[in-house]
Amino acid sequence: MPKVIVVTSGKGGVGKTTTSASFATGLALRGNKTVVIDFDVGLRNLDLIMGCERRVVYDIINVINGEVALKQALIKDKHCDNLYVLPASQTRDKDALNLDGVGRILDELKESFDCIVCDSPAGIEHGAFSAMYYADEALVVTNPEVSSVRDSDRILGILAAKSKRAVEGLEPVREHLLVTRYDPKRVAAGEMLSVDDIQEILRIPLIGVIPESESVLQASNSGTPAIHLDKSDVAEAYRDVVARFMGDEVPMRFTTYEKVGLLKRLFGGR
Amino acid sequence: MSLIDNLLDYLRGDNKKTAVVAKERLQIILAHERAGRNASSPDYLPALQEELLAVIAKYIHVERDMIKVQLEKHGEYDVLELNIMLPEDKRAGG
C-alpha cells in the first residue's frame, strides 16, 4: 500500500526541505520506490537541496494543467536509482495548485511508487494545505524554540480537523514528531527546550532528533542530501529516522551531552 | 540539577532557566489556543461573556480581561467554566 507522507511545520526555516530530501533519500536507499514533491510554488528549493536544479524542465503545475505527462516532469535522482523529484513551479501562480489536480497526481504516482514525500511550504496557506490534505502520515518538523513549537501545534490541529482523512472520518493521519537543530549542550545548560519538554507539549510520538550541525550547510552547498554525508551525526540521525519509520526499533541518539574528557580530546573522537 | 547549581542560582538571585520559562509559556498559550479550536466554541460564548461582564460590573468593578468564559470537554460532559478574578481591595456594593 503506497504511502503519502507530508513533511510540515508551519514555521519556516526549521528544516522541512532538508528533512524531505534526506528522508526521501533514506526511504529510497532502503529499497522503497520513492518520489519527493516540492509544494512550494514560487519559492522552489528542493531541486537545489537535491542537486538537480539544472535538470528541471517541467514542474508540478505543468502536470496539473495537463501540459505534460507526469513522467516528463519527474527527475531521476543522481545518487539513488529508485528516487525521483517532482519540482515546484518557480513562476506560476500558487492557486494553480488545486486540490483536485494534486489528488490526480498522487493517485497516478501511487500506481508506481511506494512512498510519496510531500515537502510542504511554510505557513498554513494554500500550498501548505495542498501538501498535507492527502497525507497518510506526517513528519512534523520542530525546532526546540517557542515559535516553532507553537506553529507545530497549530499544524497538528489542522491535520486533525481539515485533512482528507479527518474530513472523511477515516483513520487519522499518523503524526510523527521530528525535532531538528537540537543542541544537547544548550539543553543541559537549561537554555533550550528538551526533547521531553517538546514531546510533553505536543503529545505526539517522537520519530527522531537531528542534532544542530555545520554539515547541513555543507550538504546544501553541494546539493547532496545530508543523509549521504560520511561520518556525520546528521546523516546517522536521518538514517535512524527512516529505520524507525520502517518499523525498526532504534534507540534515540544525539540527545544527551557528554563532556569530552581530556584523553578523548587528545587522542580520539572527531 | 545539582545542589551546587541550585546554590549558585540562589546566590545569583532567582534566574529561572529560560528553557523552563519557555515550557511554561508554551503550556499556557497552547492550552488557550487548543481550547479555542477544539471545543469549536459556540457562537454565544462572546455574547455570554459580555452580558456576564455587564451584570458583574453592576456590583463589582472588574477589568474586562479579568473574566474568562470557557467551554471544556471532560469526558462525556461539557463544562462551562466561569472565571472571575476579583480585584484585591475595592469590593463595592454588598
Side-chain angles (χ1 to χ4, degrees), chain B residues 61-78:
Chain B
H61 178 72
V62 201
E63 294 294 332
R64 292 190 70 83
D65 53 351
M66 290 290 112
I67 170 167
K68 289 210 168 66
V69 184
Q70 263 177 358
L71 194 65
E72 279 180 25
K73 254 199 159 28
H74 290 278
E76 288 178 38
Y77 302 99
D78 284 346

Side-chain angles (χ1 to χ4, degrees), chain A residues 146 149-150 153 157 189-193 197 200-201 203, chain B residues 17-20 22-23 25-27 29-30 33-34 37:
Chain A
V146 285
V149 175
R150 181 200 216 171
D153 191 69
E191 298 171 3
M192 183 181 269
L193 288 164
D197 291 341
E200 188 185 326
I201 293 166
R203 305 177 207 155
Chain B
K17 297 284 192 197
T18 55
V20 176
K23 186 180 179 185
R25 290 176 60 216
L26 275 168
Q27 279 171 329
I29 187 67
L30 291 184
E33 289 179 351
R34 282 172 188 154
R37 65 171 183 251

Side-chain angles (χ1 to χ4, degrees), chain A residues 170-246:
Chain A
L170 304 171
E171 200 180 313
V173 178
R174 253 183 88 193
E175 302 153 338
H176 309 274
L177 173 64
L178 179 65
V179 177
T180 56
R181 310 200 63 168
Y182 196 66
D183 186 343
K185 189 178 175 187
R186 301 199 73 185
V187 173
E191 298 171 3
M192 183 181 269
L193 288 164
S194 72
V195 170
D196 291 343
D197 291 341
I198 299 171
Q199 220 190 335
E200 188 185 326
I201 293 166
L202 293 179
R203 305 177 207 155
I204 59 170
L206 180 70
I207 197 164
V209 178
I210 311 296
E212 171 79 67
S213 167
E214 291 165 7
S215 56
V216 172
L217 180 60
Q218 307 236 34
S220 83
N221 284 343
S222 58
T224 311
I227 196 169
H228 284 306
L229 297 175
D230 273 346
K231 294 176 199 155
S232 134
D233 287 2
V234 170
E236 303 264 316
Y238 273 121
R239 276 189 213 117
D240 285 0
V241 169
V242 173
R244 289 185 199 108
F245 186 83
M246 302 294 296

Side-chain angles (χ1 to χ4, degrees), chain A residues 42-53:
Chain A
L43 292 168
R44 87 168 163 229
N45 277 320
L46 181 67
D47 54 338
L48 272 180
I49 303 301
M50 297 294 294
C52 65
E53 70 277 8

Side-chain angles (χ1 to χ4, degrees), chain A residues 28-153:
Chain A
L29 289 173
R30 295 207 31 165
N32 300 288
K33 197 167 179 210
T34 304
V35 57
V36 54
I37 310 176
D38 190 347
F39 275 81
D40 205 345
V41 171
L43 292 168
R44 87 168 163 229
N45 277 320
L46 181 67
D47 54 338
L48 272 180
I49 303 301
M50 297 294 294
C52 65
E53 70 277 8
R54 289 174 53 183
R55 290 189 287 144
V56 176
V57 183
Y58 302 114
D59 57 60
I60 187 170
I61 305 289
N62 293 131
V63 182
I64 287 183
N65 292 344
E67 294 154 11
V68 297
L70 181 55
K71 265 189 186 166
Q72 292 174 272
L74 290 175
I75 302 170
K76 193 178 162 308
D77 182 64
K78 59 185 176 190
H79 301 287
C80 303
D81 274 344
N82 43 2
L83 178 60
Y84 290 79
V85 180
L86 180 55
S89 165
Q90 186 67 311
T91 50
R92 311 285 187 99
D93 179 14
K94 57 177 181 289
D95 292 334
L97 200 65
N98 64 68
L99 275 189
D100 285 346
V102 173
R104 279 200 309 275
I105 289 186
L106 293 179
D107 283 342
E108 194 177 337
L109 288 170
K110 280 180 188 172
E111 289 168 14
S112 40
F113 287 93
D114 305 312
C115 298
I116 303 167
V117 178
C118 303
D119 181 21
S120 170
I124 50 174
E125 301 301 320
H126 189 71
F129 187 65
S130 350
M132 75 166 71
Y133 183 74
Y134 293 99
D136 301 307
E137 311 212 15
L139 292 193
V140 180
V141 183
T142 308
N143 287 172
E145 181 270 325
V146 285
S147 46
S148 175
V149 175
R150 181 200 216 171
D151 291 358
S152 293
D153 191 69

